[in-house]
Amino acid sequence: MQPDTANQTHTAEFVLVGFAELRETRLFLFSLFLTTYLLTLVENLAIIVLVRFDPRLHRPMYFFLTHLSCLEIGYTSVTVPKMLAGFLGVAGSQRISYAGCLTQLFVFTFLGATECFLLAAMAYDRYVAVCLPLRYAALVSWGACVRLAAACWLGGFLTPVLPVYLMSRLRFCGPNVIDHFFCDASPLLALACSDVSLKETADLLVSLAVLLASSAVIAASYGRIVWTLLRIRAAAERRKAFSTCAAHLTVVSLFYGTLFFMYARTRVASCISFNKVVSVFYSIVTPMLNPLIYSLRNREVNAALGRAVSCRSWKGQ
């Protein structure tokens, strides 16, 4: 039975526990996550710079890739710096205000949803390139690319509006310790002292809507791509066509695999520690891996990187 509303005091701030249970290895974890974060920044900035200054990469596929790199930088920067400060024991690093917590939740959800929509747009781009090559210039014009990218960012921005609004309507009057390294919905709901059933239902429906809508576009696009590839008789042409999709398909598999596990279910999770490990994977590890996947599996990106390095070496002589 909940206490009387008049006796309840609203929580003004939260304490992020992070990985306090691994205190003995905090310096090792700090070094590991700092290295991962710096690699994420360098790799994604390198992709943005390469596409910006290499005319051979001024194509829709790489236009979307720069947006993905911007998302990855924002995605990690929302959570990692504060987590790193917590490992070092910086004063106030584990504390976050109520408004700051909701803002972090909003931005993190916004960027994650935008990435879902952007990966769907990239799948559509690959579908047109493989299945409708003669109509590619008309269907994926620069105007269409800008509109698609704008729709992805707008859809991502609108996604957390209702969930975060409902979170703001909950009362937090008891313990203020969040067993996580950022303000995610599940550990926040565990601290609420009011009915969370409406919030849980809204979260589940919004998560499923974003994940199912974007994954349906991806599945339909790759279904048509596979069908087209099966009808190509020449093995060399088939491999070439598939190579243009391999990197994107790998990134989609990593990103959606963890997201479906985390969010397409009831938000008050039973195993917080395991959720933190999964959260590390999709919010820290995946943004570092994505640029590597694209560069290792894409000859054009590798060639552009080679040209940039050789040009810089020549200028340095």
Side-chain angles (χ1 to χ4, degrees), residues 16 78-79 104 108 178 180-184 187 263 279 282-283:
L16 296 169
V78 170
T79 58
Q104 187 184 55
F108 189 81
I178 299 176
H180 213 304
F181 61 90
F182 69 97
C183 290
D184 201 6
Y263 294 109
S279 297
Y282 75 76
S283 64

Side-chain angles (χ1 to χ4, degrees), residues 289-311:
L289 292 178
N290 288 350
L292 291 176
I293 293 170
Y294 274 104
S295 60
L296 291 175
R297 301 299 300 267
N298 191 298
R299 293 180 181 179
E300 292 177 319
V301 174
N302 278 327
L305 183 60
R307 288 192 295 271
V309 172
S310 61
C311 181

